Amino acid sequence: RDSAPAIVSWNVDVLDPLDVSYDEGEANGLNTSRTFFSSFNEEMKNVIKAMEDRNDYDKNTYYLFVMNKAEDENLNGLMPFNSQYGFIFTGDSPGESKFFRTIAHELGHGVFKLRHNFDHKDLEKRSTQNLMDYTTTPETATVLRKFQWDEIISPRAIALGWSEEKYAEGEAVIECYT
């Protein structure tokens, strides 16, 4: 089988901040709990609605909301399969490499429908330098394996994305923890 370089390019714009109220106060962080039937809870939907109400909203664009923290302080990011929206949590002092890797990891879930590598293979979490693994060394965890590239090239259909995301493989499928 012939191979060719895989190229994905992104146009990135940093937009003006959104003005959104938190249900339980900003100090607690964004509530990221979800139900079986919804990828986003009401607090997350408020953030999304604030974006959709803006004049510069584009329905064909992916949006990542960069926020200080989630209520779950170990959560770095969240982006459901097939979603236009994701959330990135920087914490008090985000490292640049961890921040950009979390963005790439979450886009892997949302845009390319990639699962964690340990969901496919007999691997332990945090045991590889794979982009779709949880890792303690984000600056070097950028590898994708052939089976992952195959999924990007020939994506699987997801009829019920919300059920596959959270329950077919466990809630962590769309969340990135340190």
Side-chain angles (χ1 to χ4, degrees):
R1 183 175 188 184
D2 292 332
S3 65
I7 298 174
V8 175
S9 64
W10 302 92
N11 293 321
V12 178
D13 292 321
V14 177
L15 303 177
D16 292 333
L18 296 172
D19 185 21
V20 179
S21 297
Y22 287 74
D23 292 339
E24 297 178 28
E26 189 172 351
N28 293 328
L30 183 74
N31 177 346
T32 56
S33 63
R34 291 161 292 150
T35 66
F36 181 76
F37 294 106
S38 180
S39 295
F40 301 112
N41 65 33
E42 289 306 311
E43 195 165 273
M44 291 185 278
K45 288 178 184 176
N46 287 339
V47 174
I48 293 167
K49 182 173 178 349
M51 184 66 235
E52 290 175 347
D53 288 345
R54 289 172 56 135
N55 291 334
D56 55 353
Y57 170 72
D58 179 357
K59 67 178 181 173
N60 297 312
T61 297
Y62 294 102
Y63 291 94
L64 295 174
F65 303 106
V66 179
M67 308 178 106
N68 185 37
K69 66 179 186 175
E71 283 183 343
D72 179 346
E73 61 191 41
N74 295 314
L75 187 63
N76 292 331
L78 178 149
M79 188 170 190
F81 291 158
N82 273 348
S83 180
Q84 180 182 6
Y85 307 105
F87 295 86
I88 305 297
F89 305 104
T90 61
D92 294 328
S93 56
E96 188 174 288
S97 60
K98 179 180 175 182
F99 175 71
F100 290 119
R101 185 198 172 275
T102 300
I103 289 172
H105 178 101
E106 295 307 327
L107 288 170
H109 289 311
V111 177
F112 300 111
K113 302 177 207 112
L114 293 178
R115 295 181 173 118
H116 294 121
N117 67 321
F118 49 81
D119 292 329
H120 287 278
K121 306 292 180 183
D122 190 21
L123 298 170
E124 295 292 319
K125 291 178 186 176
R126 297 180 174 83
S127 67
T128 72
Q129 292 300 302
N130 193 282
L131 177 65
M132 300 311 293
D133 194 356
Y134 301 150
T135 181
T136 56
T137 55
E139 56 281 346
T140 58
T142 58
V143 175
L144 288 177
R145 298 291 180 204
K146 182 184 181 307
F147 73 92
Q148 293 166 310
W149 285 113
D150 289 345
E151 289 179 3
I152 291 170
I153 294 165
S154 300
R156 65 195 180 289
I158 298 179
L160 299 173
W162 50 264
S163 65
E164 184 160 348
E165 289 160 9
K166 187 170 178 179
Y167 294 95
E169 295 182 289
E171 185 170 352
V173 168
I174 61 168
E175 298 173 351
C176 180
Y177 290 88
T178 54

